[in-house]
Amino acid sequence: MKTHYLMLICCLFTAIGGGFNAQIIITNKKFSFGTTGRIGAGFSPNSNGNTGKQLNLSNQGSLGGRLDQNDYVDFLPTIHFTPVVGKDSTQIDFQTRLSFYSGGTFLGNVDTKSNNGMIVALPEAFVEARNIMGTKWDFWAGARWLRYDDIHIADYFYFDDHSATGWGVKYKNTRFSMFFPAAIDTLATNSTPYSYTNIISGAKNLVYRQREVMVLEHSMFFKENTLKLLAEYHNVSKSGENSVENYPSDNGWIIGAKLSSKLKTKLPGSFNQVSLRYGNGIANGGDGGNTQTWRTFGAPDEITKTYKGAYSITFVEHLLWNISSRWSVNPYFVYTKSKGGSDSNNKAIDYYKREIFNKKEEFNTGVRTTYYFNNWFHILSELHYANRKDGTQSPATMWKIALAPTIVPTAERSVWARPHIRFIAELAKYNKQATENLYSAFLQQAGAKKIGTYFGVRAEWWIF
């Protein structure tokens, strides 16, 4: 009996809800879904436990090749709106990016409860409106991976990676953006703290010390060439008056230029890119394979506790030459020199009372050749050289060669064709400085060895 009464009540509520149009009706049907990722298995036969670890030098990310990078998967759902149709059309997108990274083990074997297991992130969630009512104005706000050209074979977004939370406006070829990268993280790897302990209420609470990053970008087009100019200003406020720590306010700036040129070759898509970027003060960031200028490098001055006088200069040359329907060659060259706010050319004490290097010099070069055996079978081969000098120490160096026969099921003769299924073999040789200081993820696992190895089978895909 009670069951019949319950069903009757449910029917009444359903009828009432329908009468008052309470049901949510989704009218937008414009939805797209993208994904990128790389996943597979690898091992190093001359490492303890045969664990496959990246061979590149420490603090250089994937400069030196990315074939042995850890697993990751991104999902990019996007909703598209076109509220006004015709010559005054406005394009509106709401995009998110759901990211899953391996903490060290193969992604398919772990979850968020595993030790060093799965890392879950939401690096993008933003709304962008383009060509407002047929004009040249674009606006966006939210969190996004706002980055452009990269050295793909080294996963290095070298000039204008402004990935963070913020907002921006663009008119024709000029863009102005503001970013707010601060996070309450006492384990931050950068040496500019973005939080402090506030005791204004009588209790200790961590609060933000925000950094404001203002970015102005302008692009000029000349036939087959594009010149992009970059200027940034950074400011970080001081810690509060009622705080345990005493962090002073600080600032910095960036200037840079990047020239991109299209090259005419029988197989289309060839280009040359060259850039030069100079950062001053707290805007001298870029380390560990990351190039965001707000990742301040080095230690502050011992007396003023600021980064006045700190600097960083980065020069990049990147070429893709599609020689013929059989061969493509993709070389790169990266040089970086950075110094923190301290006078020391070696190590100094940072805000967290850690002794860190205050000066570095890096030189990286490499090349990938792609041989198109046929439409669906390509052979990738790579040669890399990496050199890293921390402080007054001797440089650590690595030579690496790689061979990767690759299945390309889309049957496209292009370095950008995806998905890939790669069979990977890598061999690295380290100098004495790198070997004795265990200066790579591989060496930290395997111990002091002159030779590093990596073998694996991995898939990589981009679908947009």
Side-chain angles (χ1 to χ4, degrees):
M1 191 68 176
K2 291 182 179 180
T3 303
H4 289 88
Y5 280 124
L6 183 59
M7 293 177 62
L8 178 61
I9 292 171
C10 291
C11 290
L12 286 173
F13 273 111
T14 302
I16 293 172
F20 286 99
N21 295 319
Q23 183 179 359
I24 298 175
I25 300 175
I26 299 175
T27 59
N28 176 62
K29 305 298 182 183
K30 297 182 178 179
F31 175 81
S32 64
F33 186 82
T35 176
T36 67
R38 178 184 54 255
I39 195 165
F43 72 101
S44 297
N46 66 330
S47 174
N48 297 328
N50 287 349
T51 305
K53 291 289 186 180
Q54 197 165 27
L55 303 175
N56 297 343
L57 294 182
S58 300
N59 301 319
Q60 290 196 333
S62 290
L63 282 169
R66 65 181 298 178
L67 292 175
D68 49 15
Q69 274 184 330
N70 286 342
D71 296 346
Y72 86 94
V73 178
D74 283 353
F75 298 109
L76 294 86
T78 305
I79 298 175
H80 309 276
F81 302 87
T82 308
V84 179
V85 179
K87 66 178 182 179
D88 295 334
S89 296
T90 302
Q91 291 81 45
I92 306 171
D93 291 334
F94 167 65
Q95 179 173 305
T96 61
R97 181 184 295 261
L98 310 175
S99 298
F100 303 86
Y101 303 94
S102 167
T105 317
F106 302 139
L107 195 58
N109 300 341
V110 296
D111 56 31
T112 55
K113 295 182 294 183
S114 303
N115 186 27
N116 295 325
M118 184 185 298
I119 301 168
V120 181
L122 185 69
E124 281 196 320
F126 69 94
V127 171
E128 182 177 27
R130 298 186 302 279
N131 304 322
I132 302 293
M133 295 302 295
T135 67
K136 301 297 184 180
W137 288 95
D138 300 346
F139 297 86
W140 70 271
R144 64 186 302 184
W145 274 10
L146 190 59
R147 55 191 192 178
Y148 300 92
D149 295 327
D150 73 319
I151 301 173
H152 171 70
I153 66 173
D155 198 23
Y156 188 69
F157 290 82
Y158 55 89
F159 182 75
D160 41 15
D161 184 353
H162 298 120
S163 304
T165 296
W167 60 270
V169 56
K170 179 184 176 184
Y171 180 71
K172 293 184 178 179
N173 301 324
T174 303
R175 180 192 300 270
F176 176 79
S177 308
M178 283 198 70
F179 301 95
F180 306 87
I184 297 179
D185 183 3
T186 57
L187 298 177
T189 55
N190 63 283
S191 54
T192 303
Y194 289 140
S195 63
Y196 63 92
T197 307
N198 186 21
I199 56 174
I200 191 171
S201 63
K204 292 184 178 181
N205 296 296
L206 285 175
V207 297
Y208 282 111
R209 185 170 80 111
Q210 189 58 262
R211 177 187 290 223
E212 299 91 26
V213 180
M214 288 169 274
V215 179
L216 182 64
E217 300 165 283
H218 180 70
S219 297
M220 295 181 286
F221 301 92
F222 311 94
K223 293 184 179 179
E224 300 298 318
N225 303 294
T226 301
L227 177 64
K228 184 173 185 179
L229 304 177
L230 170 69
E232 300 181 19
Y233 176 74
H234 297 219
N235 180 71
V236 60
S237 62
K238 66 178 182 180
S239 56
E241 295 180 359
N242 298 281
S243 63
V244 174
E245 301 84 3
N246 182 21
Y247 300 143
S249 61
D250 213 345
N251 57 66
W253 50 267
I254 288 280
I255 56 172
K258 176 176 65 175
L259 178 65
S260 301
S261 305
K262 296 180 181 179
L263 305 180
K264 294 182 179 180
T265 51
K266 184 176 181 181
L267 192 67
S270 300
F271 60 78
N272 185 66
Q273 300 166 344
V274 59
S275 74
L276 181 65
R277 190 181 76 179
Y278 178 83
N280 181 269
I282 61 170
N284 75 336
D287 199 25
N290 294 299
T291 63
Q292 291 99 338
T293 54
W294 46 265
R295 296 179 182 268
T296 306
F297 173 80
D301 181 81
E302 290 82 353
I303 299 175
T304 66
K305 300 300 181 183
T306 69
Y307 283 82
K308 184 179 180 180
Y311 67 86
S312 180
I313 184 169
T314 301
F315 173 79
V316 173
E317 164 66 29
H318 183 216
L319 171 71
L320 174 62
W321 182 22
N322 294 319
I323 300 174
S324 68
S325 60
R326 285 289 183 185
W327 289 95
S328 291
V329 179
N330 186 193
Y332 71 91
F333 172 100
V334 177
Y335 173 78
T336 301
K337 186 176 183 178
S338 303
K339 191 174 186 295
S342 171
D343 290 333
S344 173
N345 287 324
N346 194 38
K347 290 186 175 182
I349 303 300
D350 72 355
Y351 281 115
Y352 294 107
K353 309 302 180 184
R354 301 172 301 189
E355 189 178 42
I356 64 173
F357 284 107
N358 191 59
K359 190 175 182 179
K360 70 163 184 175
E361 190 169 13
E362 296 178 291
F363 168 65
N364 296 270
T365 188
V367 60
R368 173 187 287 181
T369 61
T370 303
Y371 175 66
Y372 306 106
F373 184 83
N374 57 33
N375 289 343
W376 59 269
F377 183 59
H378 304 171
I379 301 176
L380 312 182
S381 57
E382 296 183 1
L383 174 64
H384 300 272
Y385 172 74
N387 183 304
R388 168 93 177 202
K389 179 178 174 62
D390 285 314
T392 58
Q393 292 188 355
S394 299
T397 67
M398 177 202 71
W399 285 95
K400 184 166 76 171
I401 59 174
L403 183 66
T406 302
I407 306 299
V408 186
T410 58
E412 179 185 1
R413 297 196 184 205
S414 168
V415 297
W416 309 114
R418 295 297 185 276
H420 273 186
I421 299 176
R422 301 168 178 157
F423 302 85
I424 304 165
E426 292 185 327
L427 179 70
K429 185 179 185 301
Y430 304 100
N431 72 345
K432 182 178 179 181
Q433 176 72 9
T435 299
E436 293 181 350
N437 291 277
L438 305 180
Y439 213 85
S440 77
F442 167 82
L443 292 174
Q444 291 170 10
Q445 175 78 24
K449 296 180 181 293
K450 292 184 178 181
I451 301 297
T453 59
Y454 181 93
F455 298 93
V457 180
R458 309 190 77 87
E460 182 177 86
W461 65 91
W462 314 322
I463 301 172
F464 297 103

